Coordinates of all heavy atoms in Angstrom, one line a residue:
M37 N 113.0 -20.9 113.7 CA 113.0 -19.7 112.9 C 113.2 -20.1 111.5 O 114.1 -20.9 111.1 CB 114.3 -18.9 113.4 CG 114.4 -17.7 112.6 SD 115.8 -16.6 113.2 CE 115.2 -15.9 114.6
S38 N 112.4 -19.5 110.7 CA 112.5 -19.9 109.2 C 113.1 -18.7 108.5 O 112.7 -17.6 108.8 CB 111.2 -20.3 108.6 OG 110.3 -19.3 108.6
R39 N 113.8 -19.0 107.5 CA 114.4 -17.9 106.7 C 113.7 -17.9 105.4 O 113.4 -19.0 104.8 CB 115.9 -18.0 106.4 CG 116.6 -17.8 107.6 CD 118.1 -17.8 107.2 NE 118.9 -17.5 108.4 CZ 120.1 -17.4 108.4 NH1 120.8 -17.6 107.3 NH2 120.8 -17.1 109.5
M40 N 113.3 -16.8 104.8 CA 112.6 -16.8 103.5 C 113.6 -16.4 102.5 O 114.4 -15.5 102.7 CB 111.5 -15.7 103.6 CG 110.4 -16.1 104.6 SD 108.9 -15.0 104.4 CE 108.4 -15.3 102.8
Y41 N 113.6 -17.2 101.5 CA 114.5 -17.0 100.4 C 113.8 -16.3 99.3 O 112.7 -16.7 98.8 CB 115.1 -18.3 99.9 CG 116.0 -18.1 98.7 CD1 117.3 -17.5 98.9 CD2 115.6 -18.5 97.4 CE1 118.0 -17.4 97.7 CE2 116.4 -18.3 96.4 CZ 117.7 -17.7 96.5 OH 118.5 -17.6 95.5
Q42 N 114.3 -15.2 98.8 CA 113.7 -14.5 97.7 C 114.4 -14.9 96.4 O 115.6 -14.8 96.2 CB 113.8 -12.9 97.8 CG 112.8 -12.4 98.8 CD 112.8 -10.9 98.7 OE1 113.9 -10.2 98.4 NE2 111.7 -10.2 98.9
H43 N 113.5 -15.3 95.5 CA 114.1 -15.6 94.1 C 114.4 -14.3 93.4 O 113.8 -13.3 93.7 CB 113.1 -16.5 93.4 CG 112.8 -17.8 94.0 ND1 113.7 -18.9 93.9 CD2 111.7 -18.2 94.7 CE1 113.2 -19.9 94.6 NE2 112.0 -19.5 95.1
P44 N 115.4 -14.4 92.5 CA 115.7 -13.1 91.8 C 114.5 -12.6 91.1 O 114.5 -11.3 90.9 CB 116.8 -13.6 90.8 CG 117.4 -14.8 91.4 CD 116.3 -15.5 92.2
G45 N 113.6 -13.3 90.6 CA 112.4 -12.8 89.9 C 111.4 -12.2 91.0 O 110.5 -11.5 90.5
D46 N 111.6 -12.4 92.2 CA 110.6 -11.9 93.2 C 111.0 -10.5 93.8 O 110.3 -10.1 94.7 CB 110.5 -12.9 94.4 CG 109.8 -14.2 93.9 OD1 109.2 -14.3 92.9 OD2 110.1 -15.2 94.6
L47 N 112.0 -9.9 93.3 CA 112.5 -8.6 93.8 C 111.4 -7.5 93.4 O 110.8 -7.6 92.4 CB 113.8 -8.3 93.2 CG 115.0 -9.1 93.6 CD1 116.2 -8.7 92.8 CD2 115.2 -9.1 95.0
P48 N 111.2 -6.7 94.3 CA 110.2 -5.6 94.0 C 110.7 -4.8 92.9 O 111.9 -4.5 92.7 CB 110.2 -4.8 95.3 CG 111.4 -5.1 96.1 CD 111.9 -6.5 95.6
A49 N 109.8 -4.3 92.1 CA 110.2 -3.5 90.9 C 110.5 -2.2 91.4 O 110.0 -1.6 92.3 CB 108.9 -3.5 90.0
A50 N 111.5 -1.6 90.7 CA 111.9 -0.2 90.9 C 110.8 0.8 90.5 O 110.0 0.5 89.4 CB 113.2 0.1 90.2
P51 N 110.6 1.7 91.3 CA 109.5 2.7 90.8 C 109.7 3.4 89.5 O 110.9 3.8 89.3 CB 109.4 3.8 92.0 CG 110.7 3.6 92.6 CD 111.2 2.2 92.4
A52 N 108.8 3.5 88.7 CA 108.9 4.2 87.4 C 109.1 5.7 87.6 O 108.3 6.3 88.3 CB 107.7 3.9 86.5
V53 N 110.1 6.2 87.0 CA 110.4 7.6 87.1 C 110.1 8.3 85.7 O 110.6 7.8 84.7 CB 111.8 8.0 87.5 CG1 112.1 9.4 87.5 CG2 112.2 7.3 88.8
S54 N 109.2 9.2 85.7 CA 108.8 9.8 84.5 C 109.0 11.3 84.6 O 109.0 11.8 85.7 CB 107.4 9.5 84.1 OG 106.5 10.0 85.0
G55 N 109.2 11.9 83.5 CA 109.3 13.4 83.5 C 108.0 14.1 83.7 O 107.0 13.5 83.8
P56 N 108.1 15.4 83.8 CA 106.9 16.1 84.0 C 105.9 16.0 82.9 O 106.3 15.8 81.7 CB 107.3 17.6 84.1 CG 108.7 17.6 83.6 CD 109.2 16.3 83.7
V57 N 104.6 16.0 83.2 CA 103.6 15.8 82.2 C 103.1 17.1 81.8 O 102.9 18.1 82.6 CB 102.4 15.0 82.8 CG1 101.2 14.9 81.8 CG2 102.9 13.7 83.3
R58 N 102.9 17.4 80.5 CA 102.4 18.7 80.0 C 100.9 18.8 80.3 O 100.1 17.8 80.2 CB 102.6 18.9 78.6 CG 102.1 20.2 78.0 CD 102.8 20.7 76.8 NE 104.2 20.5 76.7 CZ 105.2 21.4 77.0 NH1 104.8 22.6 77.5 NH2 106.4 21.2 76.9
S59 N 100.5 20.0 80.8 CA 99.1 20.2 81.1 C 98.3 20.2 79.8 O 98.5 20.9 78.9 CB 99.0 21.5 81.8 OG 97.6 21.8 81.9
G60 N 97.3 19.4 79.8 CA 96.4 19.2 78.6 C 95.6 20.4 78.4 O 95.3 20.9 77.2
A61 N 95.3 21.2 79.5 CA 94.4 22.3 79.4 C 95.2 23.5 78.8 O 94.6 24.2 78.0 CB 94.0 22.8 80.8
S62 N 96.5 23.5 79.0 CA 97.3 24.6 78.3 C 97.4 24.3 76.8 O 97.4 25.2 76.0 CB 98.7 24.7 78.9 OG 99.4 23.4 78.8
V63 N 97.5 23.1 76.4 CA 97.5 22.8 75.0 C 96.2 23.1 74.3 O 96.1 23.7 73.2 CB 97.9 21.3 74.7 CG1 97.8 20.9 73.3 CG2 99.2 21.0 75.3
V64 N 95.0 22.8 75.0 CA 93.7 23.1 74.5 C 93.6 24.6 74.4 O 93.0 25.2 73.5 CB 92.7 22.5 75.4 CG1 91.3 23.1 75.1 CG2 92.6 20.9 75.2
A65 N 94.1 25.3 75.4 CA 94.0 26.8 75.4 C 94.8 27.5 74.2 O 94.2 28.3 73.5 CB 94.6 27.4 76.6
I66 N 96.0 26.9 73.8 CA 96.7 27.5 72.7 C 96.0 27.1 71.4 O 95.8 28.0 70.5 CB 98.1 26.8 72.6 CG1 99.0 27.4 73.7 CG2 98.7 27.1 71.3 CD1 99.4 28.9 73.5
L67 N 95.4 25.9 71.3 CA 94.6 25.6 70.1 C 93.4 26.4 69.9 O 93.1 26.8 68.8 CB 94.3 24.0 70.1 CG 95.5 23.1 70.0 CD1 95.0 21.7 70.2 CD2 96.3 23.3 68.7
C68 N 92.8 26.7 71.0 CA 91.5 27.5 70.9 C 91.9 28.9 70.6 O 91.1 29.6 69.8 CB 90.8 27.4 72.2 SG 89.9 25.9 72.5
A69 N 92.9 29.5 71.1 CA 93.4 30.8 70.8 C 93.7 30.9 69.3 O 93.2 31.9 68.6 CB 94.5 31.3 71.6
V70 N 94.5 30.0 68.8 CA 94.8 30.0 67.4 C 93.5 29.8 66.5 O 93.3 30.5 65.5 CB 95.8 28.9 67.0 CG1 96.1 28.8 65.5 CG2 97.2 29.3 67.7
G71 N 92.6 28.9 66.9 CA 91.4 28.7 66.2 C 90.5 29.9 66.3 O 89.8 30.3 65.3
S72 N 90.6 30.7 67.3 CA 89.8 32.0 67.4 C 90.3 33.0 66.4 O 89.5 33.6 65.7 CB 89.9 32.6 68.8 OG 89.3 33.8 68.9
F73 N 91.7 33.1 66.2 CA 92.2 34.0 65.1 C 91.7 33.5 63.8 O 91.4 34.3 62.9 CB 93.7 34.0 65.2 CG 94.2 34.8 66.4 CD1 95.0 34.2 67.4 CD2 94.0 36.2 66.4 CE1 95.5 34.9 68.4 CE2 94.5 36.9 67.5 CZ 95.2 36.3 68.5
V74 N 91.8 32.3 63.6 CA 91.4 31.7 62.2 C 89.9 32.0 62.0 O 89.5 32.5 60.9 CB 91.7 30.2 62.1 CG1 91.1 29.6 60.9 CG2 93.2 30.0 62.2
M75 N 89.0 31.8 62.9 CA 87.6 32.0 62.7 C 87.3 33.5 62.6 O 86.4 33.8 61.8 CB 86.8 31.4 63.9 CG 86.8 29.9 63.9 SD 85.9 29.2 62.5 CE 87.1 28.1 61.9
S76 N 88.0 34.3 63.3 CA 87.8 35.7 63.2 C 88.2 36.2 61.8 O 87.5 37.1 61.2 CB 88.5 36.5 64.2 OG 88.0 36.2 65.5
A77 N 89.3 35.7 61.2 CA 89.7 36.0 59.9 C 88.8 35.5 58.8 O 88.7 36.2 57.8 CB 91.2 35.5 59.7
R78 N 88.1 34.5 59.1 CA 87.1 33.9 58.1 C 85.7 34.5 58.3 O 84.7 33.9 57.8 CB 87.1 32.4 58.2 CG 88.4 31.9 57.7 CD 88.3 30.4 57.7 NE 89.6 29.9 57.3 CZ 89.8 28.6 56.8 NH1 88.9 27.8 56.9 NH2 91.0 28.2 56.5
H79 N 85.6 35.6 59.0 CA 84.3 36.3 59.3 C 83.3 35.4 60.0 O 82.1 35.5 59.8 CB 83.7 36.7 58.0 CG 84.7 37.6 57.2 ND1 85.1 38.9 57.6 CD2 85.3 37.4 56.0 CE1 85.9 39.4 56.7 NE2 86.1 38.6 55.8
H80 N 83.8 34.6 61.0 CA 83.0 33.9 62.0 C 83.3 34.4 63.3 O 83.9 33.7 64.1 CB 83.2 32.4 61.8 CG 82.9 31.8 60.5 ND1 81.6 31.7 60.0 CD2 83.7 31.3 59.6 CE1 81.6 31.1 58.9 NE2 82.9 30.8 58.5
A81 N 82.9 35.7 63.6 CA 83.3 36.4 64.8 C 82.7 35.7 66.0 O 83.3 35.7 67.1 CB 82.9 37.9 64.7
A82 N 81.5 35.2 65.9 CA 80.9 34.5 67.1 C 81.6 33.3 67.6 O 81.8 33.2 68.8 CB 79.4 34.2 66.8
I83 N 82.0 32.5 66.6 CA 82.8 31.3 66.9 C 84.2 31.7 67.5 O 84.7 31.2 68.4 CB 82.9 30.3 65.7 CG1 81.6 29.8 65.3 CG2 83.9 29.2 66.0 CD1 81.5 29.0 64.0
G84 N 84.7 32.8 66.9 CA 86.0 33.2 67.4 C 85.9 33.8 68.8 O 86.9 33.6 69.5
F85 N 84.9 34.5 69.1 CA 84.6 35.0 70.4 C 84.5 33.8 71.4 O 85.1 33.9 72.5 CB 83.4 35.9 70.4 CG 83.1 36.5 71.7 CD1 83.7 37.6 72.1 CD2 82.1 36.0 72.6 CE1 83.5 38.3 73.4 CE2 81.9 36.6 73.8 CZ 82.6 37.7 74.2
I86 N 83.8 32.8 71.0 CA 83.6 31.7 72.0 C 84.9 30.9 72.2 O 85.3 30.6 73.4 CB 82.5 30.8 71.4 CG1 81.2 31.4 71.5 CG2 82.5 29.4 72.2 CD1 80.0 30.6 70.8
L87 N 85.7 30.7 71.1 CA 87.0 30.1 71.3 C 87.9 30.9 72.1 O 88.7 30.4 72.8 CB 87.5 29.7 69.8 CG 86.9 28.7 69.1 CD1 87.4 28.6 67.7 CD2 87.0 27.3 69.8
A88 N 87.9 32.2 72.0 CA 88.8 33.0 72.7 C 88.4 32.9 74.3 O 89.3 32.9 75.1 CB 88.7 34.5 72.3
L89 N 87.1 32.8 74.5 CA 86.8 32.7 76.0 C 87.2 31.3 76.5 O 87.7 31.2 77.6 CB 85.3 32.8 76.1 CG 84.7 34.2 75.9 CD1 83.1 34.2 76.0 CD2 85.2 35.1 77.0
V90 N 87.0 30.3 75.7 CA 87.5 28.9 76.0 C 89.0 28.9 76.2 O 89.6 28.3 77.2 CB 87.1 27.9 75.0 CG1 87.7 26.6 75.3 CG2 85.6 27.8 75.0
A91 N 89.8 29.7 75.4 CA 91.2 29.8 75.5 C 91.6 30.4 76.8 O 92.5 30.0 77.5 CB 91.8 30.5 74.3
I92 N 90.9 31.5 77.2 CA 91.2 32.2 78.5 C 91.0 31.2 79.7 O 91.8 31.1 80.6 CB 90.4 33.4 78.6 CG1 91.0 34.4 77.5 CG2 90.6 34.0 80.0 CD1 90.1 35.6 77.4
V93 N 89.9 30.6 79.7 CA 89.4 29.7 80.8 C 90.3 28.5 80.9 O 90.9 28.2 82.0 CB 88.0 29.3 80.6 CG1 87.6 28.2 81.7 CG2 87.0 30.5 80.9
A94 N 90.6 27.9 79.7 CA 91.6 26.7 79.7 C 93.0 27.1 80.1 O 93.7 26.3 80.8 CB 91.5 26.0 78.4
G95 N 93.4 28.3 79.7 CA 94.7 28.8 80.1 C 94.8 29.0 81.6 O 95.7 28.7 82.3
L96 N 93.7 29.5 82.2 CA 93.7 29.7 83.6 C 93.7 28.3 84.4 O 94.5 28.2 85.3 CB 92.5 30.4 84.1 CG 92.4 31.9 83.7 CD1 91.1 32.6 84.1 CD2 93.5 32.7 84.5
L97 N 93.0 27.4 83.9 CA 93.0 26.0 84.5 C 94.3 25.4 84.3 O 94.8 24.7 85.2 CB 91.9 25.1 83.8 CG 90.4 25.5 84.2 CD1 89.5 24.7 83.4 CD2 90.2 25.4 85.6
G98 N 94.9 25.5 83.1 CA 96.3 24.9 82.9 C 97.3 25.6 83.8 O 98.3 24.9 84.2
G99 N 97.2 26.9 84.1 CA 98.1 27.6 84.9 C 97.9 27.1 86.3 O 99.0 26.9 87.1
I100 N 96.8 26.9 86.8 CA 96.5 26.4 88.1 C 97.1 24.9 88.3 O 97.7 24.6 89.2 CB 95.0 26.4 88.5 CG1 94.6 27.9 88.6 CG2 94.7 25.6 89.7 CD1 93.1 28.0 88.8
R101 N 96.9 24.1 87.2 CA 97.3 22.8 87.2 C 98.9 22.7 87.2 O 99.5 21.8 87.7 CB 96.8 22.0 86.1 CG 97.0 20.5 86.1 CD 96.0 19.7 85.3 NE 96.4 18.4 85.6 CZ 96.7 17.5 84.5 NH1 96.6 18.0 83.4 NH2 97.0 16.3 84.8
A102 N 99.5 23.7 86.5 CA 101.0 23.7 86.3 C 101.7 24.1 87.6 O 102.9 24.1 87.7 CB 101.3 24.7 85.2
L103 N 101.0 24.5 88.7 CA 101.5 24.8 90.0 C 102.1 23.5 90.6 O 103.0 23.6 91.4 CB 100.5 25.4 90.9 CG 100.0 26.8 90.5 CD1 98.9 27.3 91.4 CD2 101.2 27.8 90.5
S104 N 101.6 22.3 90.2 CA 102.1 21.1 90.7 C 103.6 20.9 90.1 O 103.7 21.2 88.9 CB 101.2 19.9 90.3 OG 101.8 18.7 90.5
P105 N 104.4 20.3 90.8 CA 105.8 20.2 90.3 C 105.9 19.0 89.3 O 106.8 18.9 88.5 CB 106.6 19.8 91.5 CG 105.7 19.4 92.6 CD 104.4 20.1 92.3
R106 N 104.8 18.2 89.2 CA 104.8 17.0 88.2 C 104.2 17.5 86.9 O 104.2 16.7 86.0 CB 104.1 15.9 88.8 CG 104.7 15.3 90.0 CD 103.9 14.1 90.5 NE 102.7 14.5 91.1 CZ 101.7 13.8 91.4 NH1 101.8 12.5 91.2 NH2 100.6 14.3 91.8
V107 N 103.6 18.7 86.8 CA 102.9 19.1 85.6 C 103.7 20.3 85.0 O 103.9 21.3 85.7 CB 101.5 19.4 85.8 CG1 100.7 19.9 84.6 CG2 100.7 18.3 86.4
S108 N 104.0 20.3 83.8 CA 104.6 21.5 83.2 C 103.6 22.2 82.3 O 102.5 21.6 82.0 CB 105.8 21.1 82.3 OG 105.4 20.3 81.2
G109 N 103.9 23.3 81.8 CA 103.0 24.1 80.9 C 102.6 25.4 81.4 O 101.6 26.0 80.9
G110 N 103.2 25.9 82.4 CA 102.9 27.1 83.1 C 103.0 28.3 82.1 O 102.2 29.2 82.0
I111 N 104.2 28.3 81.4 CA 104.5 29.4 80.5 C 103.6 29.3 79.2 O 103.1 30.3 78.8 CB 106.0 29.4 80.0 CG1 106.8 29.7 81.2 CG2 106.2 30.3 78.9 CD1 108.3 29.5 81.0
L112 N 103.2 28.1 78.9 CA 102.3 27.9 77.8 C 100.9 28.4 78.1 O 100.2 29.0 77.3 CB 102.3 26.4 77.4 CG 101.6 25.9 76.1 CD1 102.3 26.5 74.9 CD2 101.6 24.4 76.0
S113 N 100.6 28.2 79.4 CA 99.2 28.7 79.8 C 99.2 30.2 79.9 O 98.2 30.8 79.5 CB 99.0 28.1 81.3 OG 98.7 26.8 81.2
M114 N 100.3 30.8 80.4 CA 100.3 32.3 80.3 C 100.3 32.8 78.9 O 99.6 33.8 78.7 CB 101.5 32.8 81.1 CG 101.5 32.5 82.6 SD 102.8 33.3 83.4 CE 104.3 32.4 82.9
L115 N 101.0 32.2 78.1 CA 100.9 32.6 76.6 C 99.5 32.5 76.0 O 99.0 33.3 75.3 CB 101.9 31.8 75.8 CG 102.0 32.0 74.3 CD1 102.5 33.5 74.1 CD2 102.9 31.1 73.6
A116 N 98.8 31.4 76.5 CA 97.5 31.1 75.9 C 96.5 32.1 76.5 O 95.6 32.6 75.7 CB 97.0 29.7 76.4
I117 N 96.7 32.6 77.7 CA 95.8 33.6 78.3 C 96.0 34.9 77.5 O 95.1 35.6 77.1 CB 96.0 33.8 79.8 CG1 95.6 32.5 80.5 CG2 95.3 35.0 80.3 CD1 96.0 32.4 81.9
A118 N 97.2 35.3 77.3 CA 97.5 36.5 76.5 C 97.0 36.5 75.1 O 96.4 37.4 74.7 CB 99.1 36.8 76.5
L119 N 97.2 35.3 74.4 CA 96.7 35.1 73.1 C 95.1 35.1 73.1 O 94.5 35.6 72.2 CB 97.2 33.9 72.5 CG 98.6 33.9 72.0 CD1 99.0 32.5 71.4 CD2 98.8 34.9 70.9
G120 N 94.5 34.6 74.2 CA 93.1 34.6 74.3 C 92.5 35.9 74.4 O 91.5 36.2 73.9
V121 N 93.2 36.8 75.2 CA 92.7 38.2 75.4 C 92.8 39.0 74.0 O 91.9 39.6 73.7 CB 93.5 38.9 76.5 CG1 93.2 40.3 76.6 CG2 93.1 38.2 77.8
I122 N 93.9 38.7 73.3 CA 94.1 39.4 72.1 C 93.1 38.9 71.0 O 92.5 39.6 70.3 CB 95.6 39.2 71.6 CG1 96.5 39.9 72.5 CG2 95.7 39.7 70.1 CD1 98.0 39.6 72.2
A123 N 92.9 37.5 71.1 CA 91.9 36.9 70.1 C 90.5 37.4 70.5 O 89.6 37.6 69.6 CB 91.9 35.4 70.3
L124 N 90.2 37.7 71.8 CA 88.9 38.3 72.1 C 88.7 39.7 71.5 O 87.6 40.0 71.0 CB 88.8 38.3 73.7 CG 87.4 38.6 74.3 CD1 86.5 37.4 74.1 CD2 87.7 38.8 75.8
V125 N 89.7 40.4 71.6 CA 89.6 41.8 71.0 C 89.5 41.7 69.5 O 88.7 42.4 68.9 CB 90.9 42.7 71.4 CG1 90.9 44.0 70.6 CG2 90.9 42.9 72.9
V126 N 90.3 40.8 68.9 CA 90.2 40.6 67.4 C 88.8 40.2 67.0 O 88.2 40.6 66.0 CB 91.3 39.7 67.0 CG1 91.1 39.2 65.5 CG2 92.7 40.3 67.1
A127 N 88.2 39.2 67.8 CA 86.8 38.8 67.5 C 85.8 39.9 67.7 O 84.9 40.0 66.8 CB 86.5 37.6 68.4
L128 N 86.0 40.7 68.6 CA 85.1 41.8 68.8 C 85.2 42.8 67.6 O 84.2 43.3 67.1 CB 85.3 42.5 70.1 CG 84.8 41.7 71.3 CD1 85.2 42.5 72.6 CD2 83.3 41.5 71.4
L129 N 86.4 43.1 67.2 CA 86.7 44.0 66.1 C 86.1 43.4 64.8 O 85.5 44.1 63.9 CB 88.2 44.3 66.0 CG 88.7 45.2 67.0 CD1 90.2 45.4 66.8 CD2 88.0 46.6 67.0
A130 N 86.2 42.1 64.6 CA 85.7 41.5 63.4 C 84.2 41.4 63.4 O 83.6 41.5 62.3 CB 86.2 40.0 63.4
A131 N 83.6 41.4 64.6 CA 82.1 41.5 64.6 C 81.6 42.9 64.3 O 80.6 43.1 63.6 CB 81.6 41.2 66.0
V132 N 82.4 43.9 64.5 CA 82.0 45.3 64.3 C 82.3 45.7 62.8 O 81.5 46.3 62.2 CB 82.8 46.3 65.2 CG1 82.5 47.8 64.8 CG2 82.3 46.0 66.7
F133 N 83.4 45.2 62.3 CA 83.8 45.7 61.0 C 83.5 44.6 59.9 O 83.7 43.6 59.7 CB 85.3 46.1 61.0 CG 85.6 47.3 61.8 CD1 86.3 47.2 62.9 CD2 85.1 48.5 61.4 CE1 86.6 48.3 63.7 CE2 85.3 49.6 62.2 CZ 86.1 49.5 63.3

């Protein structure tokens, strides 16, 4: 019967514990919503409309991804969806007026 001796350097590494990761889609959604407001204010309503749509879709994807316990950003995604809807209305109003 042989005994195996483990050297102190041969110990298994402790698993790395990290905090929750922020959803990248929710950050993109917020940036697109803000960009939509900026483009609508600068009389680029078409670009503002497209950015608002991207903000809504990215906010939905970020919200779905935030359902995982390891990913945060659910509130940020809901805020991005709300801002995206408001930005969509602002872009439509900027196109008309």
Side-chain angles (χ1 to χ4, degrees):
M37 180 182 278
S38 67
R39 291 188 178 183
M40 295 188 66
Y41 177 74
Q42 281 188 328
H43 296 284
D46 293 340
L47 295 176
V53 178
S54 64
V57 178
R58 182 160 313 269
S59 172
S62 61
V63 175
V64 168
I66 287 289
L67 292 176
C68 286
V70 170
S72 175
F73 284 118
V74 171
M75 288 294 127
S76 295
R78 293 186 180 192
H79 304 293
H80 298 292
I83 296 172
F85 184 79
I86 292 170
L87 286 174
L89 289 177
V90 171
I92 293 169
V93 171
L96 289 172
L97 290 175
I100 291 170
R101 189 155 182 241
L103 293 175
S104 170
R106 293 182 294 169
V107 178
S108 68
I111 294 174
L112 193 63
S113 294
M114 290 188 293
L115 180 66
I117 293 169
L119 285 176
V121 170
I122 294 169
L124 192 66
V125 172
V126 169
L128 289 174
L129 289 175
V132 173
F133 296 111

